[in-house]
Amino acid sequence: MTITTSARAKVNNGVNVDALLGARTALEQAPEAAQFKWRASCEWVNGTHSRSAIGSFFGLGAEQSRNKTFTVEADHPQVFASEDSAPTPVELVLSGLASCLTAGVAAIAQRRGIQLHSVRASLEADMDIQGILGIDDEVRNGFGAIRVHFDIRADASEDDIKALVAQSQKRSAVFDIVTNPTNVFVTAN
Amino acid sequence: MKFATAIIVGAGQSGLAMSWHLSTRSIDHVVLERGEVANSWLKERWDSLRLLTPNWQSRLPGYAYSGDDPDGFMTMPEVVRFLHQYASLSRAPIVTGARVTRVRQQEAGYEVETSLGAWRCRKLVIATGACNLASIPQLAAGLPASVASLTPLQYRNPGLLPDGGVMIVGASASGIQLAREIRAAGRRVVLCVGEHVRLPRTYRGRDIQWWMDVIGAMVVRYDTMEEDIERARRLPSLQLIGTPERVTVDLNSLGKAGVELVGRVVGLTDGKAQFSGSLANLCALADLKMNRLLSSIDDWVNASGLAQQFPAPHRFEPTDVGSQTRIGLDLNDAGIGSVIWATGYRPDYSWLDVPVLDRKGRIRHDGGIVAAPGIYVMGLPFMRRRKSSFIDGADDDAADLAAHLGHNLNRAAA
């Protein structure tokens, strides 16, 4: 695809692509600055209800503080005899995947000179809860499959829109996290 | 110590093309070859392999295929004969059996240690190829000792494989060809599919290489790319096979033949392999990319006014990997006796004692002009042009680099 700078400049998806490309070039020269650490803390509230706080992270060789701390709550629904005061953690995983892919679509569209008008992702994941209930050891706890559908209105051909969504998956952190294994270390005191 | 103005390391298509261009410029040189001419083609390829480019595309400076099957694909013995003939016709000054063991910078040039003694030179051309070593992912270390581990450089034919099923890691040219023939030999084959470049062998009545040639895709230069050249250089090899029947081998045809398609290997512990859930997306990416190429072919045909000469445009079936792709496999339970790492190749620069490698071990160069005075490299993917790593790409690159080399010699002499 050939896109001239002038065509690119007219497109505004609210993504600062020049800054992102500048960061990429800088980090190619200094890969150690590319080492990030993301953090969250979580406090039990009551029952299955918990509240996570998300604030500082580490990156670009230094602690990065924010002006505020975000909170994200989670709970279980009433069919699990819970209060349903917040989404379930697995729904937050779907939300994380959707947000990651959506951010990618916007950034890649900007880079490719494609003006977006609307982007809506719908997600559905299969789960056999015999796994988490310990009924059947052969059933895994997590999702059997996740399906994501994007409904995108943009000044682009159908194939160009599909290519946006495909490239977004290729560069998505959360897509990688859910499609590939990760070592997890949990300690307690 | 012997001396040559220029030393070319390697007598394959790149080294021979460079020798031809240096000869036309009357630059005294020698070609040092570890084995014999076309050594890698002779000794490091599997039995059934044929070139991925049609015979007519085997073009070198002052020499080209002249047989009666221009659309066929050479077997390895044919490639070796082709290059031997070229070497003798072009009277290239080749020293065979001279394995280069070390190259060091010396005053105004380089000292080249070989198994046949030391040489000095002012200019050095590295034409040892891009595929000396198999690139194997680190997780290969987790393979249980009961399962044989080999690379396409060691593989010869299905009959020589250990008993049992075969897990092939990588679905580029090597991986799909091996999957096809090992499955046809009646083995269970699990093919781990990462990023790949899907292409049909033929489109609208012509070979895909013919199309890429006529639309100008093969001569696109490294310094005129809109996209990131490093990314283009890392692109996996084209999913192609050369057969007399000119068949297309893709994931759909392999699936129909009973090859089990799984995602990229992302874990290998306790005899269990884990596969990425990203297979569907990698196939979607490859389908979209293939269709973009086919569209640019159609655009070229329309613009050229030759639409009557070719069959109508069409599109191939999207890759169908279904929705039941397995994401894990116990190798012992599945009867897997061997794993073949078709995960790419890389050059061997272990003999090059000059600080020109980057942190990933890749040679630093600008279109083949290496980041050390008087050193050149040949035949790397997309080095100067998209065709740089093809036999057909050796001529133009060698012409450019020989001109640069000659110019520098003259400047030094003036």
Side-chain angles (χ1 to χ4, degrees):
Chain A
M1 202 185 327
T2 315
I3 298 157
T4 62
T5 313
S6 59
R8 208 178 273 158
K10 281 184 225 146
V11 169
N12 185 2
N13 297 325
V15 178
N16 189 342
V17 164
D18 290 339
L20 291 175
L21 291 176
R24 182 177 185 270
T25 308
L27 290 177
E28 264 175 354
Q29 307 306 318
E32 62 283 355
Q35 306 307 313
F36 274 60
K37 293 186 195 301
W38 300 104
R39 304 183 184 117
S41 63
C42 183
E43 194 90 28
W44 174 54
V45 179
N46 184 43
T48 53
H49 186 193
S50 65
R51 185 177 296 119
S52 292
I54 297 169
S56 72
F57 59 93
F58 180 89
L60 306 179
E63 278 300 317
Q64 305 285 339
S65 61
R66 285 173 160 132
N67 296 329
K68 55 187 167 188
T69 300
F70 301 101
T71 56
V72 180
E73 299 193 13
D75 198 357
H76 286 176
Q78 288 175 354
V79 292
F80 289 174
S82 285
E83 299 292 328
D84 208 13
S85 46
T88 65
V90 297
E91 289 163 325
L92 293 176
V93 170
L94 292 183
S95 164
L97 175 60
S99 294
C100 195
L101 293 175
T102 301
V105 165
I108 296 158
Q110 184 78 42
R111 168 87 169 121
R112 295 185 176 178
I114 296 173
Q115 180 62 55
L116 297 174
H117 300 299
S118 68
V119 179
R120 174 184 292 271
S122 317
L123 292 86
E124 186 179 64
D126 304 332
M127 185 186 288
D128 181 344
I129 69 164
Q130 293 184 89
I132 54 176
L133 293 175
I135 296 170
D136 186 342
D137 281 348
E138 288 176 7
V139 175
R140 70 182 284 186
N141 299 341
F143 296 141
I146 302 174
R147 288 174 297 280
V148 184
H149 177 73
F150 269 97
D151 190 3
I152 297 176
R153 298 280 168 268
D155 298 335
S157 71
E158 191 184 331
D159 270 3
D160 285 347
I161 288 173
K162 285 183 173 164
L164 281 183
V165 174
Q167 184 66 21
S168 172
Q169 291 168 73
K170 189 175 158 188
R171 286 281 158 259
S172 162
V174 180
F175 183 84
D176 176 89
I177 289 164
V178 298
T179 54
N180 298 325
T182 307
N183 282 321
V184 181
F185 306 97
V186 181
T187 52
N189 57 12
Chain B
M1 197 179 298
K2 287 164 279 196
F3 175 83
T5 301
I7 285 181
I8 300 170
V9 186
Q13 63 273 12
S14 290
L16 295 175
M18 179 57 92
S19 170
W20 193 90
H21 279 288
L22 292 182
S23 293
T24 60
R25 289 173 179 275
S26 303
I27 296 171
D28 117 82
H29 68 281
V30 63
V31 184
L32 301 180
E33 168 54 53
R34 61 178 163 155
E36 52 183 289
V37 170
N39 201 65
S40 310
W41 295 111
L42 181 69
K43 294 179 182 157
E44 295 171 1
R45 302 291 184 266
W46 59 91
D47 297 347
S48 69
L49 180 66
R50 290 171 180 259
L51 284 187
L52 304 185
T53 48
N55 290 333
W56 60 263
Q57 211 169 22
S58 290
R59 300 179 284 210
L60 288 165
Y63 184 65
Y65 176 85
S66 56
D68 56 5
D69 186 18
D71 295 323
F73 302 92
M74 286 184 208
T75 63
M76 290 306 103
E78 287 167 344
V79 175
V80 171
R81 265 202 302 282
F82 177 81
L83 290 176
H84 270 271
Q85 253 168 29
Y86 183 49
S88 63
L89 282 172
S90 62
R91 300 209 179 85
I94 303 168
V95 180
T96 54
R99 175 181 289 274
V100 173
T101 51
R102 191 179 186 200
V103 168
R104 278 186 302 168
Q105 198 151 12
Q106 288 285 15
E107 213 174 319
Y110 295 91
E111 183 182 329
V112 180
E113 292 172 19
T114 82
S115 52
L116 294 182
W119 293 71
R120 268 188 320 111
C121 65
R122 291 172 60 195
K123 308 288 176 189
L124 181 81
V125 179
I126 301 169
T128 47
C131 304
N132 311 120
L133 303 171
S135 291
I136 300 175
Q138 277 184 359
L139 56 76
L143 196 67
S146 57
V147 180
S149 175
L150 59 162
T151 75
L153 296 175
Q154 299 157 329
Y155 170 81
R156 287 295 167 267
N157 59 60
L160 292 179
L161 285 172
D163 286 343
V166 183
M167 184 167 92
I168 299 171
V169 184
S172 292
S174 300
I176 59 143
Q177 293 189 30
L178 269 45
R180 177 177 182 259
E181 75 176 15
I182 295 168
R183 178 63 197 152
R187 303 288 191 106
R188 176 177 191 179
V189 175
V190 177
L191 180 63
C192 310
V193 181
E195 225 176 301
H196 57 276
V197 182
R198 181 184 178 193
L199 280 184
R201 181 73 263 180
T202 55
Y203 179 62
R204 300 184 72 174
R206 296 286 188 150
D207 194 274
I208 196 70
Q209 295 286 1
W210 186 86
W211 284 117
M212 296 212 290
D213 193 68
V214 296
I215 70 171
M218 299 310 287
V219 293
V220 170
R221 284 178 58 98
Y222 77 110
D223 49 4
T224 62
M225 296 275 292
E226 175 92 2
E227 58 180 295
D228 182 353
I229 180 65
E230 289 310 323
R231 209 173 288 182
R233 285 174 172 163
R234 292 198 301 263
L235 212 61
S237 65
L238 311 175
Q239 249 182 6
L240 287 175
I241 183 172
T243 63
E245 302 79 22
R246 303 167 83 196
V247 296
T248 292
V249 176
D250 58 19
L251 298 179
N252 283 341
S253 72
L254 290 173
K256 283 195 191 98
V259 171
E260 296 165 65
L261 304 174
V262 297
R264 204 163 58 86
V265 182
V266 286
L268 196 52
T269 41
D270 303 329
K272 293 186 181 69
Q274 287 175 294
F275 309 118
S276 176
S278 65
L279 176 63
N281 185 51
L282 294 182
C283 293
L285 278 163
D287 286 356
L288 286 161
K289 195 178 177 82
M290 172 179 69
N291 286 339
R292 283 198 293 276
L293 175 69
L294 300 183
S295 293
S296 60
I297 290 171
D298 295 338
D299 292 346
W300 181 90
V301 171
N302 292 337
S304 67
L306 300 173
Q308 310 304 325
Q309 294 185 17
F310 303 102
H314 65 98
R315 291 295 175 264
F316 298 87
E317 283 291 307
T319 304
D320 180 13
V321 290
S323 57
Q324 302 299 317
T325 309
R326 93 177 31 254
I327 52 174
L329 185 70
D330 184 313
L331 300 181
N332 285 326
D333 289 358
I336 299 296
S338 52
V339 171
I340 304 177
W341 302 96
T343 34
Y345 308 92
R346 59 194 165 87
D348 178 5
Y349 298 125
S350 57
W351 47 273
L352 187 60
D353 196 3
V354 184
V356 290
L357 303 187
D358 69 12
R359 67 187 173 92
K360 302 280 254 180
R362 295 176 298 224
I363 196 160
R364 287 182 289 127
H365 69 90
D366 178 10
I369 301 160
V370 174
I375 300 188
Y376 301 85
V377 66
M378 291 275 300
L380 301 181
F382 224 135
M383 189 184 77
R384 292 186 72 80
R385 298 169 174 84
R386 183 168 281 123
K387 65 177 179 179
S388 284
S389 54
F390 291 67
I391 289 176
D392 194 33
D395 186 1
D396 284 355
D397 284 6
D400 290 354
L401 296 178
H404 187 279
L405 189 158
H407 180 73
N408 274 15
L409 279 177
N410 294 338
R411 214 170 41 186

